Amino acid sequence: GYMSDYWYRGYFISESSVSFGADVEMGNFYVGTWWADVDTGMEYDVYAGYNFALMGIPMYAGFTGYYYTDNYDSDYEEYNIGADLGFMAIDAAIDGDYELAAGDQGYQHYTITLPLSPVGINMDYVYQTWTGEAVVGHNHELHYSMTVSGVDVGLVVGRNVDTSHASGLTQHDNSTYGTFTLGYSF
């Protein structure tokens, strides 16, 4: 895939990025990896989890590790859980080092996704919020995607608000951003 700018959860990561991912599903279990070039190296993620239904609601629980070469950023490992309620999806990510203690550099991240198709708009509205000492803030995004001749095309327009990051990545705080993506799946 290709991204015109790499923004993740409302934070700027890198100008344009090329990515590659691979996933394997075995029944309800899944495992995968995703790689992307960042300004000064590579990001490589690994993830695994389990899909299930609870009282008829599709859910998942899993683990994701974010790793970086060339000291681009710290490595992060988080536990993930989510549910698709039909009219909206809710996801939570808790940093594996998160503690309820002063000075903790961990985080929690929550996402609510509202499909706008019930009101005739082929987009999703996404609200995301960070809590914890390492990262705080929230952002709003509109997501549009379609497939043209086997190529996945996407557009995200967003705004992050009152953000801060423990490592000092503040040059893009309180920003409006847009990202164009191309991808091919096989």
Side-chain angles (χ1 to χ4, degrees):
Y2 167 79
M3 295 176 274
S4 60
D5 282 320
Y6 180 7
W7 287 79
Y8 184 63
R9 294 177 176 168
Y11 277 93
F12 178 80
I13 306 295
S14 177
E15 292 184 13
S16 74
S17 182
V18 175
S19 62
F20 167 81
D23 301 296
V24 175
E25 294 182 19
M26 300 162 286
N28 290 356
F29 289 96
Y30 63 88
V31 62
T33 186
W34 187 81
W35 293 66
D37 68 307
V38 292
D39 287 336
T40 58
M42 293 293 296
E43 172 186 344
Y44 58 100
D45 306 339
V46 293
Y47 48 89
Y50 184 75
N51 294 309
F52 60 98
L54 184 62
M55 297 188 315
I57 298 172
M59 302 181 80
Y60 73 93
F63 170 85
T64 304
Y66 304 90
Y67 306 101
Y68 302 90
T69 64
D70 301 323
N71 295 317
Y72 173 76
D73 196 358
S74 300
D75 294 338
Y76 305 95
E77 296 174 337
E78 58 187 33
Y79 302 101
N80 315 105
I81 190 162
D84 184 351
L85 304 173
F87 67 96
M88 76 174 182
I90 301 171
D91 298 279
I94 310 299
D95 178 31
D97 294 326
Y98 184 78
E99 298 174 11
L100 293 173
D104 173 37
Q105 294 299 304
Y107 62 86
Q108 299 175 54
H109 183 268
Y110 302 97
T111 303
I112 297 172
T113 303
L114 297 170
L116 300 179
S117 54
V119 295
I121 302 171
N122 190 24
M123 292 181 171
D124 292 336
Y125 165 75
V126 178
Y127 173 78
Q128 300 178 72
T129 186
W130 294 88
T131 62
E133 298 221 7
V135 185
V136 296
H138 61 276
N139 66 297
H140 307 269
E141 294 180 343
L142 287 174
H143 292 222
Y144 174 79
S145 62
M146 63 186 291
T147 301
V148 178
S149 300
V151 177
D152 300 322
V153 179
L155 178 65
V156 174
V157 176
R159 172 89 180 150
N160 62 13
V161 182
D162 299 328
T163 55
S164 66
H165 192 282
S167 66
L169 298 176
T170 59
Q171 70 270 27
H172 296 285
D173 287 355
N174 297 308
S175 294
T176 300
Y177 53 90
T179 300
F180 173 73
T181 61
L182 291 174
Y184 183 74
S185 301
F186 54 93

